[in-house]
Amino acid sequence: MKMLMVIYSGTNPQSVTSLLDDHCAGGYSVFKDVSGAGVTGRRDGSRAWPGKSTLFVSIVPEFVASALTETLRAEVKRLPVGERLHVAVLPIETFF
């Protein structure tokens, strides 16, 4: 099993949920209006640091994680200027 954490900063978070659904991710949690800082800058929803992100978390079998990761990698290349998508894939020892 793998846990995918997808951080999306853009105007269409439904595009990520559509990809999760298309890959039969089984289930996922969505955290809206997430703020933070990273290599692409700070997002805090303020005038100084505009923008917010959406965090998606899904635990899937390894073969789903592999296919979904490749799809998300391709999606990154198609994003409009200013939008960001980051993916972390983590091993899961136990999930019930």
Side-chain angles (χ1 to χ4, degrees):
M1 300 291 280
K2 299 285 186 178
M3 179 170 63
L4 273 73
M5 295 181 67
V6 180
I7 304 165
Y8 172 74
S9 299
T11 60
N12 189 16
Q14 295 81 11
S15 64
V16 177
T17 56
S18 292
L19 292 173
L20 291 166
D21 291 337
D22 290 347
H23 283 80
C24 301
Y28 49 83
S29 296
V30 180
F31 301 87
K32 298 178 181 180
D33 296 328
V34 177
S35 61
V39 297
T40 59
R42 181 175 297 277
R43 299 201 189 284
D44 196 28
S46 67
R47 284 181 24 192
W49 306 105
K52 290 277 188 162
S53 297
T54 304
L55 173 65
F56 303 85
V57 178
S58 183
I59 298 174
V60 297
E62 197 162 332
F63 72 93
V64 172
S66 179
L68 185 52
T69 300
E70 289 308 310
T71 300
L72 290 166
R73 189 182 313 274
E75 186 67 20
V76 168
K77 296 175 183 174
R78 290 191 291 272
L79 289 175
V81 173
E83 291 192 10
R84 302 284 188 266
L85 185 114
H86 303 284
V87 180
V89 180
L90 304 138
I92 297 295
E93 290 185 28
T94 305
F95 180 74
F96 56 90

